[in-house]
């Protein structure tokens, strides 16, 4: 049976059937392994208490609200994040519009209005560094003493440290994932996330130059997604409404051979010749092949694309890259991995 998550886009949409749950608070950008511990432990207690599991996030991200001209930094746009949370087993996702009103709400009012009056929260889970309320004035201390006064439980997840080579002792964070992607380390980013990192968007009509040289491409704008290291990647493509996983090679860059300046994702899918304009793609970056470069002419570019395609096919056939996704994060897998409560501090 396919799990379906309820999506609530405002606190006013919360009805009696949505209240009285275990609640996890955070932005969960990227839904990396540290985030999975927070929501996994919330899910464990929800099952023990026979309650629902609710995740509360804000949209847009507070950084986008306070610094709208900042470079794109999101690891998972809302659509992808919601899909990951649903796949994990979250029962409902409450999305609070991050506007002037929410930004100016004191921490105590957030607890009273959202967690208590709105959700009738029975237990809250947060990461050790969670901040909320006007001026980020609230933290785990506010949640703790208000929980004691109002009768809801609180669990604070300690820092989750990384065991990967080069990152030993560091704490899982969205910043670490961004650093890996900006260095072209797609496989490390995937290991930190526990799932492939992807660029999501609709296919737009470009110059159609690829088709004239024998390598038709689907063009996807990065939008608010983080810009990874510019260059060529081996990729896996998912088309909305289609169960196929299509292998390909993609260029994330400015296309200097044609004197372009805007950054675009251009995807050439192997053994594929269908029209995709207007369709939504999820393009998973599996391996960085080479930096973007400028070629002297079309023939030199074509020869390089042939070489890139051969390398990408070999990379994508490797066992660790051949699975549909990595071990897709789900609550059941989390609980099997940690049958006892994992690094929870009450």
């Amino acid at each position: 049976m396919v799990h379906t998550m309820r999506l609530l886009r405002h606190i006013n949409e919360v009805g009696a059937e949505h209240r009285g749950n275990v609640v996890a608070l955070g932005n969960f950008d990227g839904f990396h392994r540290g985030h999975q511990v927070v929501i996994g432990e919330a899910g464990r207690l929800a099952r023990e208490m026979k309650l629902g599991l609710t995740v509360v996030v804000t949209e847009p991200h507070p950084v986008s609200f306070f610094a709208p001209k900042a470079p794109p930094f999101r690891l998972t746009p809302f659509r992808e994040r919601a899909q990951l949370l649903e796949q994990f087993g979250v029962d409902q996702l409450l999305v609070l519009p991050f506007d002037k009103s929410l930004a100016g709400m004191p921490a105590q009012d957030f607890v009273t209005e959202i967690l208590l009056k709105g959700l009738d929260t029975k237990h809250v889970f947060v990461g050790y560094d969670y901040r909320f309320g006007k001026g980020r004035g609230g933290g785990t201390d506010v949640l703790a003493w208000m929980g004691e006064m109002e009768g809801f439980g609180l669990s604070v997840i300690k820092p989750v440290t990384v065991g990967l080579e080069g990152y030993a002792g560091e704490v899982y964070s969205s910043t670490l994932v961004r650093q890996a992607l900006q260095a072209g380390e797609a496989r490390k980013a995937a290991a930190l996330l526990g799932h492939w990192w992807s660029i999501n968007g609709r296919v737009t009509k470009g110059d159609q130059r690829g088709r004239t040289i024998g390598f038709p491409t689907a063009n996807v704008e990065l939008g608010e997604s983080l810009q990874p290291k510019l260059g060529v990647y081996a990729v896996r493509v998912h088309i909305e409404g289609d169960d196929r996983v299509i292998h390909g090679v993609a260029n994330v860059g400015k296309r200097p051979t044609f004197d372009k300046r805007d950054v675009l994702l251009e995807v050439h899918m192997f053994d594929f010749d269908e029209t995709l304009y207007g369709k939504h793609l999820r393009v998973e970056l599996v391996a960085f092949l080479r930096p973007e470069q400028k070629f002297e002419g079309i023939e030199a570019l074509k020869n390089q694309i042939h070489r890139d395609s051969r390398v990408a096919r070999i990379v994508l056939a490797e066992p660790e890259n051949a699975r549909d996704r990595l071990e897709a994060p789900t609550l059941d897998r989390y609980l099997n991995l940690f049958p006892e409560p994992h690094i929870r501090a009450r």
Side-chain angles (χ1 to χ4, degrees):
M1 183 176 179
V2 178
H3 173 76
T4 301
M5 178 180 71
R6 292 185 293 273
L7 177 61
L8 307 171
R9 292 187 174 273
H10 197 280
I11 193 66
N12 293 336
E13 294 183 13
V14 176
E17 69 275 21
H18 308 130
R19 295 159 55 84
N21 290 342
V22 174
V23 173
L25 301 173
N27 277 309
F28 305 115
D29 184 27
F31 195 46
H32 57 64
R33 292 186 187 274
H35 295 151
Q36 290 161 35
V37 173
V38 176
I39 298 179
E41 290 301 314
R44 184 198 307 278
L45 185 63
R47 287 190 177 183
E48 290 173 1
M49 298 177 69
K50 295 182 170 52
L51 299 175
L53 171 59
T54 297
V55 171
V56 178
V57 301
T58 61
E59 194 67 28
H61 193 288
V63 172
S64 299
F65 176 81
F66 289 112
K69 295 184 179 179
F73 66 95
R74 295 285 292 269
L75 291 171
T76 45
F78 175 74
R79 182 193 190 100
E80 172 76 356
R81 181 178 50 171
Q83 290 172 346
L84 287 166
L85 292 172
E86 181 174 54
Q87 174 181 269
F88 191 77
V90 171
D91 294 309
Q92 62 186 26
L93 174 63
L94 171 60
V95 185
L96 300 176
F98 197 89
D99 51 18
K100 187 175 180 180
S101 175
L102 188 61
M105 181 181 289
Q108 291 173 241
D109 290 355
F110 179 88
V111 174
T112 301
E113 297 300 321
I114 304 298
L115 296 183
L116 297 176
K117 291 182 181 178
L119 291 169
D120 187 25
T121 300
K122 302 306 181 187
H123 199 102
V124 174
F125 279 78
V126 294
Y128 70 99
D129 58 351
Y130 179 71
R131 305 297 304 180
F132 67 104
K134 182 179 180 181
R136 292 169 55 85
T140 57
D141 53 345
V142 173
L143 289 170
W145 67 258
M146 288 200 72
E148 289 180 5
M149 288 194 307
E150 301 292 347
F152 63 86
L154 171 68
S155 290
V156 179
I157 300 301
K158 301 175 184 177
V160 184
T161 54
V162 181
L164 300 173
E165 182 181 351
Y167 290 117
E170 296 195 63
V171 176
Y172 279 106
S173 69
S174 299
T175 298
L176 270 188
V177 180
R178 293 186 188 103
Q179 290 172 350
L181 290 168
Q182 289 169 335
E185 298 174 330
R187 193 77 176 112
K188 273 191 177 178
L192 291 165
L193 290 166
H195 55 88
W196 302 109
W197 184 74
S198 63
I199 295 173
N200 297 259
R202 295 201 178 276
V203 178
T204 60
K205 199 161 188 176
D207 297 332
Q208 298 184 294
R209 188 180 291 107
R211 188 170 295 277
T212 66
I213 63 174
F215 293 97
T217 61
N219 301 328
V220 177
E221 295 177 352
L222 269 62
E224 62 178 8
S225 291
L226 174 83
Q227 180 180 295
K229 183 175 181 178
L230 301 186
V232 177
Y233 292 82
V235 300
R236 297 155 42 80
V237 183
H238 300 255
I239 305 169
E240 185 176 40
D242 192 322
D243 292 334
R244 290 175 296 175
V245 179
I246 303 165
H247 290 179
V249 64
N251 183 75
V252 181
K254 301 179 180 179
R255 298 144 292 149
T257 302
F258 303 104
D259 295 322
K260 300 293 185 179
R261 293 292 181 268
D262 58 312
V263 176
L264 187 70
L265 171 68
E266 297 177 295
V267 187
H268 171 63
M269 289 173 275
F270 302 146
D271 311 312
F272 183 88
D273 187 21
E274 300 175 25
T275 301
L276 291 173
Y277 294 132
K279 293 193 175 181
H280 192 278
L281 301 186
R282 186 176 80 241
V283 182
E284 299 170 342
L285 273 57
V286 175
F288 182 80
L289 304 183
R290 64 171 177 83
E292 186 176 41
Q293 63 189 96
K294 183 173 183 176
F295 295 93
E296 293 182 0
I298 297 297
E299 284 305 311
L301 173 61
K302 286 173 62 176
N303 291 336
Q304 185 60 56
I305 297 176
H306 274 295
R307 289 192 288 270
D308 294 337
S309 297
R310 286 197 297 270
V311 174
R313 286 181 186 271
I314 293 170
V315 168
L316 292 166
E318 294 173 355
E320 66 267 30
N321 299 327
R323 289 172 287 184
D324 179 37
R325 297 184 81 153
L326 298 177
E327 287 296 329
T330 68
L331 180 56
D332 285 336
R333 287 199 179 101
Y334 176 84
L335 296 178
N336 286 334
L337 183 61
F338 303 112
E340 300 296 328
H342 182 56
I343 62 170
R344 184 196 305 175
R346 291 188 184 273

